Structure formats: structure tokens, C-alpha cells
């Protein structure tokens, strides 16, 4: 053992430096830490330690390799049209379903109204390599679009997230490839946005314990949506939810659990819009919970050819 230690002691310093690269301050230079991870030189579990990262350009997260957690990311200085975080498997060549091993957790993400927050998008044509990654315990605010689901986004979830003060809270891309299969939102709040949800792509969504509150317009929905939670708005001169029907897809249908609650705060017995919800197709359906408050309009609950049903057999009667 003594001889071995002596041998090690006389190694040239430049060789030791080459075999043990200096560690990178992750919070000070997150892009460099990511490059080190992808090159196989440094850790891929990137813990910000509660510190703030200031981004000059967007970063790319490979969900098969990187975990990002515990800190604040300020993307307010990004140039127009950029995205703070792009989740993509474009650099991978071997099919792998294992995108749920890694995650983004405990991050407060802030931006500006000309850039996007988190974009899930891969431009390859491999249906196994998903642009999918669990998000948990986050807040996302100040963006043009807080979260965008695009190509190869399917079958994953978000939990314990606040999405607020954005132009659009959640956006889906029309015509996205291999995308839209059952997205799950657990304890996710979408509130105080200009438009809460803009589903241009026809993404199936399950909401558990969600709340859609005080968005200037609550949602544009284009597929099947199950919702358990709370929807709250103020009086509006237009329907606050719009149900659409995309070509060759199931028309939008919004099913709310019996114990959910929908209310128009400030409703004084005089509706301010012709309808509370609008529809484009006779196949559009909205199923209301047992209890609502102020969910009606001058002409009725729904505008257009869609159907309104209650949580029990029979006609929906707004309270």
C-alpha cells in the first residue's frame, strides 16, 4: 500500500487535472453544467441549491439524462421567440421509454411576455422517444405561453404546479406528431392568465384537484377532458369556455365530477353574456357538477349546437 501511495504521489499534476476536471458551479453556469452532463464529464442531477439562475438563452433538457431541481430560474432576459426550457429527446438514437426516471422539481420559473416557459417538443420521427418529463412542485409565470405541448408529447403528468400571470397558461400545437394521448394534471392551478388553456392540438386531459380561476378566458378545449376541482370566474361579456371539434378527431367534451364546483363570482342574478360556454359541434358535450353558481347566460347555459347535461340523469339546472 505504501508503494502504491508513493507511485500516485509522483504523478505529474497536469495528468491529475486531466483525469479529474474541475467541478462547475451549477447555479452560476447552468448551460455549462448541462454540456458537462451531456459530454459525460459531470453530474446530470442538477441541484440549484435554492439559488437563482439567470438565463441569457434557452436551455435544452434531455429527459433521459437530466434531473433539474430546487431553485429559481429567471428567463426574463431571453430574446423574443425563445423558450426558457425545451424538453427534447432529439439527441438520442436508441429507442427508450425511460423518460420518467428524471424530472424537473422545485423550480420557480419566470419570464417575459415574448418568450415561452417550458416547451415539450422532439422533431425526430421515433414514436418511442417521447418529449415527456414529469414536472412537480413548480410555479411558472410571466411568459407568452407557460407550457407548450408539441411533437411526441403524450402520456405523462404535472403535479402541484401554479401557472399564473401569463398570456396563455397551457398551449398545445395543432397538428403535433404522435402527441396528445392522456395528459394528467394533479393539483395544478391555472389562474390569472389572459387565456388559461388553449388546446389547438386536441390533447386528452385528466384534471384531479385542479383549479381554473380568474383567467380572462378560461379555456379553449378540443378533445376529451375530465375535470375534478374548482372553476371560478368573474362576470364576462363572452362565453368563458369554448368547445371545438377538430377534423378526424373526437369533438371536445368536458366532463366535471359531481363534487366539483363552478361559480361566477359577482353574479347578481343578471347574466352578462349570452352564454357561459360555447360549442361548435353537435358532438360537443359539457357535463356539470351537482353545484354551480351563476353559470348561465342571457340566452342559456351553452351557445351553439352542443349538449349540456347534469351529473345525474336529467336536465342540468344551474343554481
Amino acid at each position: 500500500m505504501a508503494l502504491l501511495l508513493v507511485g500516485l504521489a509522483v504523478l505529474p499534476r497536469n495528468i491529475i487535472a486531466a483525469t479529474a476536471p474541475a467541478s462547475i458551479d451549477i447555479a452560476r453556469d447552468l448551460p455549462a453544467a448541462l454540456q458537462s452532463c451531456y459530454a459525460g464529464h459531470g453530474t446530470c442531477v442538477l441541484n440549484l441549491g435554492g439559488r437563482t439562475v439567470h438565463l441569457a438563452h434557452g436551455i435544452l433538457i434531455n429527459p433521459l439524462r437530466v434531473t433539474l431541481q430546487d431553485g429559481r430560474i429567471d428567463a426574463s432576459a431571453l430574446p423574443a421567440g425563445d423558450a426558457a426550457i425545451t424538453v427534447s429527446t432529439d439527441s438520442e438514437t436508441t429507442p427508450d421509454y425511460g423518460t420518467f426516471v428524471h424530472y424537473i422539481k422545485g423550480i420557480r420559473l419566470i419570464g417575459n411576455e415574448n418568450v415561452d416557459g417550458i416547451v415539450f417538443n422532439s422533431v425526430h420521427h421515433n414514436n418511442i422517444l417521447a418529449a415527456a418529463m414529469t414536472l412537480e412542485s413548480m410555479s411558472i409565470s410571466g411568459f407568452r405561453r407557460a407550457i407548450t405541448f408539441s411533437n411526441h408529447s403524450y402520456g405523462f403528468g404535472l403535479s402541484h404546479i401554479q401557472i399564473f400571470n401569463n398570456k396563455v397558461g397551457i398551449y398545445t400545437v395543432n397538428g403535433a406528431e404522435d402527441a396528445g394521448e392522456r395528459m394528467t394534471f394533479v393539483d395544478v392551478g391555472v389562474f390569472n392568465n389572459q387565456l388559461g388553456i388553449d388546446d389547438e392540438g386536441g390533447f386528452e386531459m385528466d384534471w384531479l384537484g385542479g383549479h381554473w380561476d380568474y383567467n380572462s378566458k378560461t379555456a379553449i378545449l378540443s378533445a376529451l377532458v375530465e375535470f375534478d376541482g374548482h372553476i371560478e370566474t368573474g362576470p364576462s361579456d363572452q362565453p368563458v369556455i369554448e368547445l371545438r371539434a377538430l377534423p378526424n378527431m373526437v369533438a371536445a367534451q368536458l366532463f366535471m365530477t359531481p363534487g366539483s364546483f363552478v361559480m361566477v363570482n359577482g353574479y347578481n342574478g343578471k347574466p352578462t353574456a349570452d352564454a357561459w360556454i360555447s360549442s361548435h359541434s353537435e358532438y360537443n358535450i359539457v357535463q356539470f357538477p351537482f353545484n354551480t353558481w351563476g353559470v348561465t347566460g342571457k340566452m342559456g347555459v351553452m351557445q351553439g349546437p352542443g349538449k349540456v347535461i347534469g351529473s345525474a340523469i336529467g336536465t342540468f339546472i344551474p343554481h
Side-chain angles (χ1 to χ4, degrees), residues 109 111-113 115 117 139-147 161-171 188-198 207 211-220 232-234 236 240:
L109 182 63
N112 71 65
E113 62 180 11
V115 302
S139 73
I140 306 172
S141 62
F143 290 95
R144 177 180 64 169
R145 298 164 178 160
I147 295 177
I161 295 178
Q162 305 282 55
I163 299 169
F164 60 95
N165 293 349
N166 304 281
K167 286 187 175 179
V168 179
I170 295 173
Y171 179 78
V188 173
V190 180
F191 59 95
N192 295 357
N193 304 284
Q194 292 181 28
L195 173 55
I197 300 167
D198 185 3
W207 292 76
H211 56 103
W212 303 346
D213 294 345
Y214 296 104
N215 301 286
S216 298
K217 183 169 183 173
T218 301
I220 297 171
E232 187 168 348
T233 73
S236 174
V240 295

Side-chain angles (χ1 to χ4, degrees), residues 16 19 61 66 75 90 94 101 118 133 137 147 175 199 209 235 252 259 291 299 304 311 315-316:
I16 296 174
T19 57
I61 299 292
V66 175
D90 281 336
T94 302
V101 175
I118 302 177
M133 189 177 200
S137 301
I147 295 177
D199 178 24
N291 292 292
M299 307 298 293
S311 57
T315 304
F316 168 67

Side-chain angles (χ1 to χ4, degrees), residues 100 132 149 153-158 172 178-185 199 201-208 222-228 249-251 253-256:
F100 293 101
F149 297 118
S153 298
Y154 61 85
F156 68 102
L158 291 66
T172 73
D178 184 38
E181 178 184 332
R182 227 61 198 183
M183 313 296 291
T184 303
F185 304 82
D199 178 24
F203 277 55
E204 301 169 349
M205 301 183 190
D206 287 314
W207 292 76
L208 177 62
S222 301
L224 299 175
V225 178
E226 286 193 314
F227 181 85
D228 172 83
M249 298 183 69
V250 175
Q253 298 173 6
L254 172 59
F255 297 95
M256 292 181 255

Side-chain angles (χ1 to χ4, degrees), residues 16 29 32 36 87 124 128 132 145 152 156 181 195 203 259 267:
I16 296 174
D29 196 345
S36 177
V87 176
H124 56 63
I128 294 177
R145 298 164 178 160
H152 302 287
F156 68 102
E181 178 184 332
L195 173 55
F203 277 55
Y267 174 71

Side-chain angles (χ1 to χ4, degrees), residues 227-245:
F227 181 85
D228 172 83
H230 185 95
I231 300 175
E232 187 168 348
T233 73
S236 174
D237 59 0
Q238 298 291 329
V240 295
I241 294 180
E242 178 182 349
L243 302 182
R244 292 182 175 176

Side-chain angles (χ1 to χ4, degrees), residues 23-34 42-49 51-55 67-69:
S23 61
I24 295 171
D25 186 327
I26 295 171
R28 185 178 295 275
D29 196 345
L30 181 56
L34 284 165
T43 181
C44 291
V45 178
L46 305 180
N47 191 320
L48 303 182
R51 298 164 64 190
T52 297
V53 172
H54 296 275
L55 293 180
T67 293
L68 178 63
Q69 60 190 17

